[in-house]
Amino acid sequence: MAASSRSLSQALRHHLVNPAALGYLAIVAAVGVWVGVDALFVEHADASLAGVWLFVVTAPTSFLFLALPGALPFIGVAVGAVAQASVLGAAYRWFRNRPAQRAGISNA
């Protein structure tokens, strides 16, 4: 069990610690701060739809949690952020580690 959890944490770290994943997580955090400020400090005549943006920036994974009761859909925001950041990180690593393709360039 310890070996599998260690490998899972290493895999997450491998995919989450790069510019693409960290940039995405920074965007999600900025939207979360904006939603929090809007909810706490801005008075609205009607309900604010700012909280919807957290689900939009972490879609489609976060949409799978919308049917849960109470505040549980916000777990989907966290799961969605980590899932999308991991996919972006894996794509970033794949693009960085693949061999350069030379399209008809020669030294002749």
Side-chain angles (χ1 to χ4, degrees), residues 4-14:
S4 66
S5 66
R6 190 175 331 129
S7 64
L8 176 64
S9 66
Q10 287 174 346
L12 278 175
R13 186 178 314 118
H14 180 72

Side-chain angles (χ1 to χ4, degrees), residues 28-104:
V28 172
V31 170
V33 168
W34 172 65
V35 168
V37 167
D38 183 69
L40 294 174
F41 300 115
V42 179
E43 291 188 30
H44 299 281
D46 290 336
S48 173
L49 292 176
V52 172
W53 283 103
L54 280 173
F55 292 95
V56 170
V57 297
T58 57
T61 307
S62 62
F63 288 159
L64 299 174
F65 292 79
L66 285 177
L68 296 175
L72 290 176
F74 287 100
I75 292 172
V77 171
V79 170
V82 171
Q84 266 78 256
S86 181
V87 169
L88 283 171
Y92 176 82
R93 296 257 185 212
W94 183 78
F95 278 114
R96 294 277 296 166
N97 293 334
R98 69 183 181 143
Q101 302 285 333
R102 297 187 183 229

